[in-house]
Amino acid sequence: MRTPARLSTLAGALATTLTIAALGATPAHAVTKTYVALGDSYSAGVGSGGSTDSTCYRSPYGYAPLIAKQRGLTLSYQACSGATTADVTSKQLGALSSATSYVSMTIGGNDVGFADTITECAKPAWASDCAGSINTGRAILTNSMPGRYAALFSSIAGRATTAKVAIGGYPHIFQGEDCNLATFFSPSDEQGINSATDDLDSLISTKARAAGFTFVDPRAAFTGHAVCDSTEWINGLSNPIVDSYHPNKAGNVGYATLFSPALTGVAYSALRTAAAAPSGPTLRVQADKVLAMGLTSPANLRCARAAGVDPAEVTRLMSALRSADSVTVDRALARLHALDRHATAVLAARA
């Protein structure tokens, strides 16, 4: 029996539709879903290279554009380096509407002073108040962040009324190592920063779930990929400096692998292309970073003496860091690290 022309046409159209569906493609007439990426530097791809915005960074290697490209989503890239919860509310939420399909975000690190804490804890033990900086952030976390998260998440829910929303936490950036010449993180400093990160992630999880959102926890996935691990997903001190202590390309793939199923229900298929390793700062840049710590100020020299470190030697070593001879600079940095280890032990014994 011959198939009538109309039935033949319908059969062909149905076959084409089924083939498209099987290939995971989107028919030309289908409405592309909208994905709004909110948040801070961890959501703007800082650390991955390829900054496209002098203010906000917004790298195409960030996890949000990786997901959008693979799933064929229309991306509204709102995330901005340095953003706080207040910035998201005032500058980013305008991109949300009832037509928004997916929303992702990391936020809160800037509210609690993450960058300031890293800067403080990077100093030698006698010149650093790492514990004090961490405690300042904890106070903000305890007293202010519950309300800030509740208000922000309520605003997102009120605008993106039909969207799937996933809120990300932060990974541990340290796992017992500091291999950078210009930083002096002790194991105790690293443990304190990681513990504070746990507290922040716990609050984000609680508030996100209370709002009906999905919490994305990166800590387990990033284990073994911290600063100075054999396969880093988190940069140490980097060039440019802005990329320091943020996920690199591999780290953003790691985030995409976590966020994609939470948002779309579909796994992210990482394309394991060779990504260039982040470049470290030159020896000169590292020396200048240590010089900028002001270790020869009267107050810091008094603290050095109190920690069992000879102020005259600190002054001599800081002078050596200004040398044009790379061997002299390298030896001065190494000696400062030795003095830092000594001071750390002395101060720990007194605690």
Side-chain angles (χ1 to χ4, degrees):
M1 176 185 292
R2 295 178 61 189
T3 304
R6 184 175 180 182
L7 290 179
S8 178
T9 301
L10 289 172
L14 177 59
T16 300
T17 300
L18 291 174
T19 301
I20 290 173
L23 292 174
T26 302
H29 62 274
V31 177
T32 303
K33 293 185 176 182
T34 300
Y35 171 21
V36 180
L38 306 171
D40 56 18
S41 56
Y42 270 59
S43 291
V46 173
S48 67
S51 170
T52 62
D53 185 298
S54 60
T55 300
C56 290
Y57 200 98
R58 292 177 184 154
S59 169
Y61 306 115
Y63 71 82
L66 294 180
I67 294 171
K69 182 177 181 180
Q70 187 163 106
R71 302 309 309 155
L73 307 174
T74 297
L75 177 65
S76 179
Y77 208 176
Q78 299 296 314
C80 189
S81 178
T84 62
T85 50
D87 292 325
V88 173
T89 298
S90 64
K91 301 175 183 178
Q92 300 181 20
L93 295 191
L96 301 177
S97 73
S98 59
T100 302
S101 300
Y102 307 114
V103 179
S104 68
M105 181 172 65
T106 56
I107 199 67
N110 294 312
D111 290 74
V112 298
F114 172 79
D116 291 340
T117 294
I118 291 295
T119 299
E120 185 66 27
C121 296
K123 298 175 184 176
W126 69 85
S128 169
D129 185 16
C130 183
S133 183
I134 291 171
N135 288 337
T136 297
R138 285 186 187 278
I140 296 171
L141 178 67
T142 300
N143 299 324
S144 302
M145 294 309 293
R148 293 182 192 180
Y149 279 129
L152 175 57
F153 293 168
S154 177
S155 295
I156 292 172
R159 289 171 178 263
T161 53
T162 62
K164 176 67 176 179
V165 181
I167 309 297
Y170 298 92
H172 290 162
I173 63 174
F174 295 112
Q175 284 167 15
E177 295 181 81
D178 179 15
C179 56
N180 296 284
L181 286 174
T183 57
F184 301 85
F185 296 101
S186 71
S188 177
D189 294 338
E190 295 182 1
Q191 290 168 9
I193 292 169
N194 287 345
S195 176
T197 299
D198 288 337
D199 291 343
L200 178 58
D201 282 351
S202 178
L203 179 61
I204 296 171
S205 173
T206 298
K207 292 300 183 181
R209 288 177 170 137
F213 303 159
T214 298
F215 174 66
V216 173
D217 190 344
R219 287 170 291 180
F222 276 70
T223 298
H225 302 297
V227 171
C228 298
D229 282 343
S230 58
T231 304
E232 286 185 327
W233 286 8
I234 301 286
N235 298 329
L237 191 64
S238 302
N239 183 28
I241 295 295
V242 67
D243 284 341
S244 304
Y245 308 106
H246 284 80
N248 55 27
K249 286 183 179 180
N252 275 276
V253 169
Y255 259 117
T257 302
L258 297 170
F259 267 106
S260 183
L263 288 170
T264 70
V266 179
Y268 178 79
S269 300
L271 300 176
R272 296 297 180 183
T273 56
S279 60
T282 64
L283 188 63
R284 180 69 265 149
V285 168
Q286 293 181 78
D288 288 343
K289 181 172 176 60
V290 175
L291 286 167
M293 292 177 178
L295 300 184
T296 55
S297 71
N300 279 330
L301 290 177
R302 286 194 298 270
C303 290
R305 184 182 298 281
V309 173
D310 182 3
E313 183 172 14
V314 174
T315 300
R316 179 183 65 78
L317 292 172
M318 294 298 282
S319 178
L321 292 183
R322 295 184 174 86
S323 172
D325 177 56
S326 61
V327 174
T328 298
V329 172
D330 187 69
R331 286 175 177 171
L333 288 171
R335 180 56 183 162
L336 281 169
H337 273 272
L339 295 179
D340 175 56
R341 290 190 294 271
H342 173 73
T344 298
V346 170
L347 294 172
R350 295 175 183 171

